[in-house]
Amino acid sequence: MQDFEPGAARGLLRLAQGYKVIAAKRSLSGPGGMIPVNELGLAILNLCNGTLDAQGIESRVRGQFGGSTQDLEEFIGALKTRGWISCD
């Protein structure tokens, strides 16, 4: 796994081990329990399936939700910092 810095992630993003998206509850389930997420967060987490890098995820959600690249990079960086996603 490589270090993650917003704007620098080039690897494929996936949910960290032990985490699972629970769409019906708009939550991320993990070792610490259920974490509620908003619609944008849910969309991003669903795309963290090991097939897209940060840029690919950003372009998909920007088309649906808008937002700046910097905001999306910072959000994805925060997900990584919290240990909810990893970068291969």
Side-chain angles (χ1 to χ4, degrees):
M1 187 164 35
Q2 56 183 301
D3 291 335
F4 186 93
E5 296 176 21
R10 300 292 179 243
L12 303 178
L13 299 177
R14 66 178 66 251
L15 293 177
Q17 187 172 1
Y19 287 90
K20 181 171 130 180
V21 174
I22 310 294
K25 294 188 177 189
R26 294 179 87 176
S27 298
L28 179 67
S29 174
M34 298 289 272
I35 304 157
V37 294
N38 63 20
E39 191 175 345
L40 174 60
L42 189 63
I44 290 172
L45 289 167
N46 277 321
L47 292 171
C48 291
N49 58 17
T51 63
L52 296 169
D53 62 7
Q55 288 178 333
I57 291 172
E58 290 165 15
S59 67
R60 290 208 181 171
V61 298
R62 194 176 323 106
Q64 184 176 0
F65 294 95
S68 73
T69 298
Q70 182 177 351
D71 288 345
L72 293 170
E73 285 179 350
E74 289 174 3
F75 185 75
I76 290 171
L79 293 175
K80 175 60 179 145
T81 299
R82 288 185 175 108
W84 299 348
I85 63 173
S86 63
C87 185
D88 293 341

